[in-house]
Amino acid sequence: MNTTELEATVRAMTARGKGLLAADESSGTIKKRFDSIGVESTETARRDYRQMLFTTPGLDEAISGVILYDETLRQSADDGRSLASILQSKGIVPGIKVDKGTIVMAPGSGEKITEGFDGLAKRYEEYHQLGARFAKWRAVYCITDELPSPRNIRLNALGLARYAAITQQSGLVPIVEPEVLMDGTHSIERCEQVTTVVLQGVFEALAAEGVALELMVLKPNMVISGKECVVQANARQIAEATVRCFRRTVPAAVPGIMFLSGGQNEVQATENLNAINALSARHPWIFSFSYGRALQAPALKAWQGKKDNVTAAQNAVQKRALLNGAACRGEYQSQMEQAA
Ligand code: 13P
């Protein structure tokens, strides 16, 4: 394992006041996003959209790394430079989503497990050549009164741990993403309970697979009320439950906890991250962001697939990046939404 390169990568990813832009939507997911603005999802349109995002002036002020999809890592901008090298030229680390999505765990189980091990070590050789220095693998867990099942927790944890071990051996930093979904009527207390057992399972498996905790990043959900829950916890309650949950489950050796947005709207995702960082500075980890929708939604809306809208769309993504950067320091205030 090339520890020196992994250390440099993880240090760059977890730079203070910065976070990750998750732009690794699979072709199916990006089609859904494009459908929402009436743009056909062609390879060129996807390239244009990602080029717009990555060439945003000043993007590196609050973005330390970008998670790419396989297709994007192979694409080039109008000027012939690869999209990955554009990021590198700004000091932003390119990364790659390597899981192949989810399949039903067992018929009727209502649960999913993640695929993507085939040829993974081999794929990493190419990804590294193309400039990727970190990777991402996502496991999903649903909440009901009965779920997630112990089997689902065990299998997903094993998958994340095997992936993380292979990733480090291949010279890339693994982002370990166990996502407990927001969908449902469950309370924040139930989310805390589930997130706690999920993270316990994940760190037990990571230890068993010999993953170096110093050389990985955790990308979890926040502890939050179910989307359809009648009682919605406020930012302070979310921050307290989230920090309590991580203090109980995440070893101090992990350098960074970089949250997914998971369907929170862009302002909520910023407010909640800020509340977490405003609680107290005495954590062994940095609390930052690795947002997809919460960074991109306003930019997507502004873009509409038109060249004329590129500047407006770039301003929109840069605004969210800077506000989330402020939230990483606990310095975000709602008035900044108008000022920006
Ligand atoms: P969201 O922030 O939109 O949840 O996306 C993050 C991500 O990478 C999901 O895997």
Side-chain angles (χ1 to χ4, degrees):
M1 190 156 90
N2 182 349
T3 314
T4 316
E5 182 176 17
L6 291 173
E7 277 168 0
T9 301
V10 89
R11 206 174 313 119
M13 291 168 73
T14 57
R16 294 262 162 197
K18 296 190 185 187
L20 306 176
L21 166 62
D24 61 327
E25 298 83 1
S26 64
S27 301
T29 304
I30 197 76
K31 181 180 180 312
K32 273 192 247 161
R33 306 276 185 266
F34 280 13
D35 283 348
S36 75
I37 53 164
V39 170
E40 193 191 343
S41 181
T42 62
E43 189 180 338
T44 309
R46 294 192 290 271
R47 199 285 313 245
D48 290 349
Y49 176 65
R50 267 87 182 228
Q51 169 175 263
M52 177 280 289
L53 290 176
F54 304 166
T55 55
T56 296
L59 191 66
D60 56 304
E61 286 171 47
I63 299 294
S64 59
V66 176
I67 317 175
L68 307 173
Y69 186 59
D70 182 282
E71 175 187 90
T72 319
L73 191 57
R74 302 170 192 286
Q75 285 176 323
S76 296
D78 293 327
D79 63 8
R81 290 185 297 163
S82 73
L83 294 182
S85 70
I86 290 178
L87 295 171
Q88 286 165 331
S89 71
K90 296 170 180 254
I92 297 175
V93 189
I96 177 78
K97 167 200 178 77
V98 294
D99 69 71
K100 297 263 172 104
T102 57
I103 51 164
V104 172
M105 181 177 78
S109 65
E111 298 194 288
K112 291 174 173 170
I113 52 166
T114 306
E115 296 192 291
F117 285 109
D118 281 3
L120 185 55
K122 196 84 198 139
R123 280 155 63 203
Y124 276 136
E125 288 174 19
E126 191 193 6
Y127 287 150
H128 194 276
Q129 275 172 9
L130 291 169
R133 291 295 175 270
F134 68 89
K136 187 196 96 167
W137 179 286
R138 170 173 176 260
V140 290
Y141 307 82
C142 1
I143 301 189
T144 68
D145 288 345
E146 290 82 30
L147 303 180
S149 66
R151 182 178 173 213
N152 187 250
I153 291 173
R154 205 171 53 242
L155 288 176
N156 272 329
L158 182 61
L160 284 165
R162 279 305 304 142
Y163 140 81
I166 297 167
T167 307
Q168 289 183 340
Q169 283 157 20
S170 304
L172 286 84
V173 169
I175 297 184
V176 172
E177 181 180 9
E179 175 173 8
V180 177
L181 296 172
M182 278 175 76
D183 306 322
T185 56
H186 57 269
S187 63
I188 186 171
E189 289 80 12
R190 176 77 181 134
C191 180
E192 182 172 353
Q193 193 181 38
V194 169
T195 305
T196 301
V197 292
V198 161
L199 290 173
Q200 284 168 343
V202 167
F203 281 98
E204 203 175 301
L206 289 169
E209 292 302 313
V211 172
L213 300 180
E214 292 80 2
L215 301 174
M216 61 161 273
V217 165
L218 181 69
K219 172 165 175 164
N221 53 285
M222 292 178 190
V223 173
I224 200 165
S225 316
K227 248 191 187 155
E228 288 87 43
C229 180
V230 282
V231 186
Q232 288 292 316
N234 62 34
R236 171 89 195 188
Q237 292 165 325
I238 290 167
E240 284 174 353
T242 300
V243 170
R244 180 170 57 229
C245 176
F246 290 113
R247 292 184 77 91
R248 288 174 175 172
T249 54
V250 182
V254 174
I257 296 179
M258 305 180 89
F259 294 103
L260 56 94
S261 59
Q264 299 181 50
N265 73 40
E266 59 269 15
V267 176
Q268 281 171 337
T270 307
E271 275 173 0
N272 291 336
L273 177 62
N274 187 68
I276 287 166
N277 279 304
L279 266 191
S280 129
R282 290 179 295 115
H283 309 304
W285 334 276
I286 60 132
F287 283 119
S288 175
F289 59 94
S290 174
Y291 291 162
R293 284 161 286 179
L295 279 171
Q296 292 183 52
L300 187 69
K301 222 184 273 170
W303 180 60
Q304 299 287 324
K306 297 195 177 78
K307 267 211 166 82
D308 286 351
N309 296 338
V310 163
T311 303
Q314 290 182 331
N315 288 342
V317 72
Q318 179 68 351
K319 170 179 167 179
R320 294 276 29 114
L322 291 175
L323 293 180
N324 283 305
C328 287
R329 298 185 295 270
E331 291 170 0
Y332 165 81
Q333 291 172 345
S334 57
Q335 306 89 280
M336 291 159 84
E337 293 287 342
Q338 279 72 44

